[in-house]
Amino acid sequence: MILTLLILIPLVAGILSFLAKENGKMIALLSSVATLGVAIATSVHAGTQTISWSIPWIPRLGAQLSFYADGMSAMLCLLTAIVMPVIFITNWNKTVDRAGSFYGLMLLSQAGITGVFLAHDALLFYFFWELALIPVYFLCSSWGGEKRVAVTFKFFVYTFLGSLMMLAALIFLSSQNPGVNAYSWENIVSAGASLDPVTQQWVFVLIFVAFAIKMPIFPFHTWQPDTYEQSPTPITIILSALMVKMGLYGVIRWLIPVAPEGVALWSNTIVVLSIIGIVYASCIAIVQTDLKRLVAYSSIAHMGLMAAAAFSQTKVGMHGLMVQMFNHGINITGMWLIVSMVEQRWGTRDMTKLGGMASTAPKMAIALVIISLANIALPLTNGFIGEFMLFNGLFSSASQYHIIFMVVAGIGIILGAVYTLNMIQKTAYGDAVEMTVSKDITTNEFVGLTIIIGIILILGVYPKPLLDMTLGVVNMMIP
Amino acid sequence: MKAIIASTVLGVVMMFAGLLVKDKKAVSSLAIILFIALLGVNVWDLMTTSPSEPQSFFNNMLRVNGYSLWFNTLMTGCTLLYVMLVNKDIQRVGSHVAEYYALIFFILCGSYLLSTYNNMLMLFLGIEIMSIPQYILAGSDKRNLKSSEASLKYFLMGAFSTGILMMGVTLLYGATGTFNIVGFTFLQSDFLSPMALAGIMFLMVAMAFKVSAAPLHMWTPDVYDGAPTAFTAIMATVVKASAFLAFMRLFSVSFGALSSKWMLVLSIITAATLFVGNITAVFQQSVKRMLAYSSIAQAGFMLFAILAVNSTAWEGMMLYGVAYSVATIGMFAVLLKLKDYTYDGFNGLAKKDPVLAFFTTVFLLSLAGIPLTGGFMAKYFVLLAAVQQGKIMWLVIFALFMAAISSYYYFRVIIAMYFKQGEPEFQSEVTSTDKFMMAITTIIVLLLGIFPHWILHV
């Protein structure tokens, strides 16, 4: 029951927000804080035991409304529930046109994303997968930059095509074992795992395309930098901190157990693609002068490392992946918040026109430095432990090329340090550039950043709660 | 089978009402009452016929199974929804309003025959009873050259395809000595005579024409575009769904066992229909013409139900027929309100009338097959049926690619409404009654998407 609340609160609040017009902001904040409370309660429970809830939905097909939370689902719900109020708090002072629709759509996308993390039924999973996409489509197209309509549509068609391929695989799997639970996760997994290797490969490819586009893995990433750049910051945060996790979550829950033979056959190829993605995205990030594009490419690089670890099939790598999914969500949210503050203060995102933040806005500069360092995984920040485990996993994987993988991915990390430090240097130091709106961080921005930085530091020093929470899932995934 | 008689009688009543009642509004209200009565008769039929044991009527000329009566009821319901949504636009087409309604009653009569026929003569009669009123309706805007062109084109092509149908029936009669569709089930694929095979192919071609499957779709865009929009709405929905049911009844009941003989041809027809419908729709500039091509594209998906030949396919067909009809009727109802049928005519609709734009969005999302709408569930069921059949997985994946393309032209309307500036001009005022009916249509679309099994309890 507690799981349905996680979805129902944002859903109902979203609909109310449409009707409330200008007061949508208030509804959004209150409901997201309430959801956060529920999510914390869920996480506390799910750390020790799984929670599930289900009722029949379409008996003719064997689909059920079935929600399930283990450590991983609860952790990602918690991430969603933390990020949303942070967005609302930091966005509080900005005036948004048609605020009711804006906040309504934000909340609906929250409901969709949470649903994806909780659904334990393939059809329901697909429903939420699309339900998360549609509000984001409208958000980006209505409130984005100049080229928003074309860019968002490209994003939409790309992801929609991917989801349809996944749908083909899900229809196929569910028709293998028809019955009252045809769509339940257990049934899909057993149907998939019992197929012959050739068919499993097909199933693997169809499902993988959907998740690869969403993550995105090189070469499916072309929608991403443009979409991130054109979207308003709150949506960029939803896209990069949360929706990208849907892809990874999908891989872990709905791909690896479903087509183990397919994974075995394809994993080297995918790890290679992911590592190409890391190096490629890092190289492009180095030459970017636009802050938003820089962060977008850095996000592709980070996702590449996580995807590589997901397919390297080691216990420590998988555990690192769980932790890093959470941490990446927090860090990237912090990065986008800073970028949007910079854009608001200086009226530009071009790094060549920025400088001297440390003297003009010292508090913001401190936040920028801490979050950027977390982003390159410096020890004592949350990024370190996750990335360390990911590398460890990549190195100890069974693949014969594991050393090459590790070394090349390591180059990506060095490149990551290059562009991040370069960015800090260009924006925070150097000759001071006058702000157009002369103000260091405001109270609400301070609250938002404090939450983010607090999590970064606490988990950097004491990651145990997160590790404990996800240990059960890792043990189940890789015995 | 009281509904067949009732639809005929009510049609005649409507014609006489045209003589006696001159007020267009009164005629429309009378029509709505009579359609409700017809729906009542259908429900009565449904209640009094037990679905488990098929019953025969009129010397075994008609035979109902569980799906037939339920399908009739649903299609009558769709027609009622259609009449309630567009009755004001029907009044604007011309002066013979009562006759238009009478023709719609006859179309329904044909549709009832098509869902229950047990004999090839009844198939022929059903198709003719359903088609002839359409030829008239297509040309009902007499002063408009395009409307007359549509009517003539439809008539000539339709007559030609009916000839092919007749030819197929004759050949099959020659091969088996019977008109009874159950009689054809004794045809065996091992000793299929060329005559019987030719008959089956003729029938397939004729039916493919009626459901506008490629490469026999050429008439569709011109006829749908030329006919008055109020009547395109019913031609593209109820009529099409009924023709599909007839197609399916023939090929699953009579020729189901011979599926190895016609499967490849029909697979190619399906692929061609999906391809032509979707690709051509992308290049249209008029939303009305786009909907005509979209109806071809949707036909491609409905063909999956025929290809699948299993029980899920029947459910898929029912669901597809209803979900597609309801969303398309809603879309045409919106289109009828606008002056300019091009995409630009929709520019800025969301600002001018956000509620109307929301309804339109739901209809379009349903046609594109996005979850939470009936269109998704309908596509899901027909594709599930095809996957269960097991031999046409390649076609399923091809169809899903085409579905992704279809999102392009449906979303163009959404983009125009929400993200482009403009001042849409209305042809007639959108009253609160219109909005209420559209809201009901929207709710039906959403309910079909969440609880599709509600209309599948046969």
Side-chain angles (χ1 to χ4, degrees), chain B residues 321-372:
Chain B
V322 176
Y324 162 73
S325 297
V326 172
T328 309
I329 287 171
M331 198 54 219
F332 273 108
V334 174
L335 198 60
L336 276 163
K337 295 289 162 212
L338 294 169
K339 223 175 207 150
D340 183 0
Y341 286 170
T342 61
Y343 283 101
D344 292 337
F346 280 83
N347 285 356
L349 186 64
K351 210 160 241 163
K352 184 149 183 189
D353 194 338
V355 180
L356 191 66
F358 172 73
F359 294 151
T360 317
T361 308
V362 173
F363 301 145
L364 288 164
L365 291 181
S366 178
L367 289 172
I370 306 283
L372 229 61

Side-chain angles (χ1 to χ4, degrees), chain A residues 57 60 137 141-142 164 183, chain B residues 315 380 400 415 419 450 453:
Chain A
W57 173 30
R60 169 64 192 79
Y137 168 77
S141 305
S142 308
L164 286 172
Y183 289 83
Chain B
E315 293 172 338
Y380 194 87
L400 288 171
I415 289 172
F419 314 129
I450 304 171
H453 51 291

Side-chain angles (χ1 to χ4, degrees), chain A residues 57-61 123 126-127 130 134 137-138 141-142 149 153 156 160-161 164-165 167-168 171-172 175 183, chain B residues 312 315 361 370-372 376-377 380-381 383-384 387 400-401 403-404 407-408 411 414-415 419 449-450 452-453:
Chain A
W57 173 30
I58 309 175
R60 169 64 192 79
L61 291 174
L123 197 59
Y126 186 80
F127 258 65
E130 296 284 341
I134 298 291
Y137 168 77
F138 280 98
S141 305
S142 308
V149 175
F153 192 63
F156 176 81
F160 186 53
L161 180 66
L164 286 172
M165 294 300 109
L167 182 65
I171 297 177
F172 176 72
S175 62
Y183 289 83
Chain B
T312 317
E315 293 172 338
T361 308
I370 306 283
L372 229 61
F376 169 73
M377 274 301 166
Y380 194 87
F381 265 81
L383 293 179
L384 178 68
V387 168
L400 288 171
F401 262 104
S407 69
Y408 175 80
F411 270 73
I414 295 180
I415 289 172
F419 314 129
I450 304 171
H453 51 291

Side-chain angles (χ1 to χ4, degrees), chain B residues 91-104:
Chain B
Q91 290 168 33
R92 265 186 299 154
V93 172
S95 46
H96 309 286
V97 182
E99 284 153 38
Y100 305 149
Y101 287 117
L103 290 168
I104 295 171

